[in-house]
Structure formats: structure tokens, C-alpha cells
Amino acid sequence: MIDNNKISKFAISVVQELQKNNFQAYLVGGCVRDALTGLEPKDFDIATNATPEQVRKTFKASRIIGKRFKLVHVFNRSELLEVATFRSGNDQKDGDNIVTDASGKILRDNNWGTLEQDCDRRDFTVNALYYCPVTKKIEDHNDGLKHIHKKVIVSIGDPQRRFEEDPVRSLRAIRFSNKLNFKIDNLVKDAIYDKGHLLSGISNARLFDEFCKIFLNGMGEKNFEKICSFHLNKYLILSDPNRNDFASNVMTHALRNTDDRVKNQQSITPGFLMAALLWPSLLKKCSRNGEINVRKFFRSMDGVLREQQKITAIPRKFSSYIKDIWVLQLKLHSRIGSQPYKTLRHPRFRAAYDFLLVRERASGDKSGIGKWWTDFQKNDDSLRGSIIAEMNEKSDEESAKIFGFYNELR
Ligand code: ATP
Ligand code: MG
């Protein structure tokens, strides 16, 4: 049923090596699910009854990682595989290896178990299929194959309890349903509504990872819509209850831009999305009557980033990227003298220009600044000079508008 050509040769060799050493070993999770649904599997996870130490000993190029969830990275020059030991998912044997907090959230899970037990601690039935590339058999203890056939995301066990254990599963259900084009089972939907609020207790580091998986996988716009329909957006994105139309449009258009880039295999970054989604909050903090105060603009940037950081972490390299994009928005509005040449040479010019276009689309702005920059980039130096000269003539009337973001502040 699964074509082994779709599976990484390295992953198959690691499974074979473990089996040669008398361990059980299977490909598991996303790669099996994706191969069965006609998608291109991207990362290959392996499940085994060998302990992390035994796996480590079997492969020279490997290292044990993680504390909360110990596993082994096995790698060659170009690939990295995650090899995880079967876990029992319950703490009956050894209370120390599974730790939960007062709400039932799992804080640590290092209690080894059997394949059957390992199935039960996974989130959704379609994610609990174990494939042996040697016998080509699939182990399916929770009707995952049936649910793939019926195109539905079903929880393993009572979703209310499972989402208490790990609230991030609600975001995962939404992500997989869009990725696979599957429905979400009604019990899972109810659990998302009932337990979604527990996402407020998840660390900002983990939510940043999830933010990236949800919004940078090429389905960002669709995922955003579904997340909003379950009212979960506030657990990922700083949002203002009185936000205007521009604030929701700018997120949609920024996600559409990112989705298109994924489709065209161009580079993408969470920084671009963060710059877009926080932009309305920044404008709000530093503007009055449709005019922004430039000094306040600069002073407000860190504050806005800090507010989002309470929700999702923002690694430092992205904070400086985001601030560059913001400051360049001001520079893109001033188009006289030598300023446009300097702006064009800025290493983040391209991203800032893309964001300018996103802002124009989101606000319905027709002033043509984006078009001006499109022309300015295309032209050779002599033409550029005349574009700027033209601008200089208009400059009185235009400069009045320079820092006016009327359409975005309405
Ligand atoms: P993708 O890589 O496309 O996001 P995936 O299914 O591979 O999808 P991973 O996060 O890589 O997702 O996890 C691999 C497997 O580990 C999952 O298929 C699932 O079986 C299990 N798993 C991951 N996260 C959880 C979780 N929060 N709760 C229960 N099981 C999980
Ligand atoms: Mg995966």
C-alpha cells in the first residue's frame, strides 16, 4: 500500500539496522499518514522498543536529546531522523517518569512501553499508524486507516481528557484537518471549544513553534480562518478587541503572501508575519487623528514586541528583522533626494517593499506608493533620476501625506 520510494532510504536503513539488532522498529506518525494520503512525507520519525541509550549505541552518528521527551537524533550528512522509544503514556508503573500539573497537563513523559501503549498516547488516529518498510505491513490499533478513508480527524481516547493533557492538540487538529482536507470529528470540535482556553497555560516557546507550523506551512490563510472560527486566535496572536478592518485584512494578506511564497518555493520567515500582525498595534500606539508621531513610533516598537512575546516567544534575530521592516515603512514613504537610493540598498528592502504592498491591499490604499517603488526598482539609473525629480516637484503636497496612514487608522 505504501510505495517505499516515497520513504527516505536512510530512514529505511535505520529501521533495518534496529531490526537486525533484534529491536522492533517502525516508521510512524506524519510520514506514514502523508504517504497514505498522497502527500509528500517530509520528516521521518521512527518508533522502537530500544531505549534511547540502546539506539545511541546502535548508531555512531546519533545523539540523545530532550528532557521532557527524551529521544535520539540519528543523522547522516543530509538527513536527520527522530527515533523515539515506545511510551506507555500512563504513570502506573513508575510515577516519576510521567509528570502532570494540576490541570492534567503532561509535563514529562519518559515511561517506556509497548507498541500498543505507544499508539494510545498519540493524538489522533491518523497519526498512530506504524509502517514496517521490510514487511510493508501497517500496524493500526485505533482505526487510523478507516479514518483516513473517511477523511476525518478522530482523537485517540476522550478528546476532552486528551486536550487537558496537552492543549496544543486543539491547534494540531485544525492544522491537520486543513493539511489533509479532512473533517474534524464532532467530539474533537467540542473539545476544541471546551478546552481551547487551556492554551493560555502553554509556554511561549512552544506556541512560537506551533505558530510557525500553522502559518508557514503553505496553508496559513486557511489555518488562520479556522483558528478564528474556533476563537483560538488570541492564544497565538496579539489582538485588540476593538481592532479595525485593516487589522484583520493585513493578517489575511500577509498570510496570502506567505502561502504564495511557499507554493513558489521562495524563502519565508515568521518575522514577516509578525511584522504584519503587530503593525496595527504599533500604529495605534503612536498615532492621533490619522497622523503618526515618529518619535513615539520608534519608542513603541519594543513594547509591542514584548506584548506579543507574552503569547509566543520571538527569537532575537526575528525582533531585529521586524523592527527593520517597520522602520523601512516610514522610509518608503519619503521619496525625495537621495533617500530612495539608500532605502533600495537596505538589506531588508525587498521584504519591506512586499509588506508595503500587503498594507496597500489590506487598506485599499490607492495613492500608488507601492507602484512607485515597483517602477523605481525596474528602472535604470537615468530613469530613476527623473522619477525622483518628478517627486521633488510634487513634494509639498506629498510631504503633507508622508506620515499619514489615514486608511490604516480608520
Ligand atoms: P507534521 O510533521 O506534518 O506537523 P506530524 O504528525 O509528523 O505532522 P509531529 O509534530 O512531527 O507531527 O509529531 C510526530 C508524531 O508524534 C505525530 O504524528 C503524533 O503521532 C505524535 N505527536 C506529536 N505531537 C503530539 C502531541 N502533542 N500529542 C500526542 N501525540 C503527538
Ligand atoms: Mg513530523
Side-chain angles (χ1 to χ4, degrees), residues 190-364:
D190 291 344
I192 299 177
Y193 284 121
D194 295 344
K195 303 295 175 188
H197 65 96
L198 296 173
L199 283 166
S200 64
I202 299 296
S203 75
N204 67 347
R206 184 147 181 237
L207 286 176
F208 176 74
D209 290 345
E210 207 52 40
F211 176 100
C212 294
K213 288 189 184 174
I214 289 173
F215 294 129
L216 301 175
N217 73 348
M219 295 243 157
E221 189 182 351
K222 246 177 135 184
N223 286 339
F224 180 59
E225 280 168 12
K226 213 167 211 170
I227 281 168
C228 290
S229 76
F230 282 104
H231 311 297
L232 297 182
N233 42 317
K234 62 173 177 286
Y235 302 108
L236 283 176
I237 297 171
L238 181 64
S239 39
D240 177 348
N242 314 312
R243 67 184 180 160
N244 57 14
D245 287 346
F246 172 71
S248 28
N249 286 345
V250 83
M251 188 66 192
T252 303
H253 284 279
L255 287 165
R256 201 170 290 170
N257 172 288
T258 298
D259 289 348
D260 287 342
R261 293 183 66 89
V262 173
K263 220 176 283 152
N264 300 326
Q265 296 178 315
Q266 292 167 290
S267 64
I268 44 164
T269 157
F272 186 82
L273 287 179
M274 289 281 185
L277 74 94
L278 298 174
W279 176 253
S281 307
L282 177 64
L283 286 190
K284 209 166 172 188
K285 272 202 155 69
C286 64
S287 62
R288 255 176 71 185
N289 306 326
E291 292 283 329
I292 72 159
N293 174 324
V294 176
R295 242 206 279 138
K296 258 194 176 163
F297 180 96
F298 280 90
R299 277 208 311 256
S300 307
M301 292 195 295
D302 283 317
V304 172
L305 287 174
R306 268 197 302 275
E307 280 175 50
Q308 173 66 26
Q309 266 160 340
K310 288 184 202 154
I311 305 174
T312 66
I314 304 177
R316 197 192 305 256
K317 63 175 172 192
F318 298 123
S319 321
S320 68
Y321 176 96
I322 294 165
K323 287 196 267 185
D324 280 350
I325 303 292
W326 286 343
V327 172
L328 279 165
Q329 297 310 301
L330 302 187
K331 304 222 187 257
L332 287 166
H333 281 253
S334 72
R335 291 165 291 153
I336 45 182
S338 60
Q339 184 59 49
Y341 293 99
K342 279 195 215 148
T343 306
L344 189 61
R345 278 196 302 270
H346 192 286
R348 307 244 188 271
F349 168 79
R350 184 67 212 194
Y353 160 76
D354 282 346
F355 181 47
L356 173 68
L357 298 184
V358 162
R359 283 172 47 219
E360 285 189 344
R361 276 181 221 126
S363 68

Side-chain angles (χ1 to χ4, degrees), residues 156-167:
I156 295 178
D158 172 16
Q160 300 275 341
R161 180 178 55 80
R162 299 305 313 281
F163 287 20
E164 270 170 21
E165 272 173 18
D166 182 3

Side-chain angles (χ1 to χ4, degrees), residues 170-197:
S170 54
L171 296 173
R172 292 172 57 84
I174 292 170
R175 179 158 59 85
F176 294 133
S177 81
N178 279 337
K179 175 174 176 167
L180 305 167
N181 206 5
F182 281 19
K183 287 198 301 279
I184 300 178
D185 174 58
N186 284 335
L187 292 175
V188 173
K189 276 190 190 159
D190 291 344
I192 299 177
Y193 284 121
D194 295 344
K195 303 295 175 188
H197 65 96

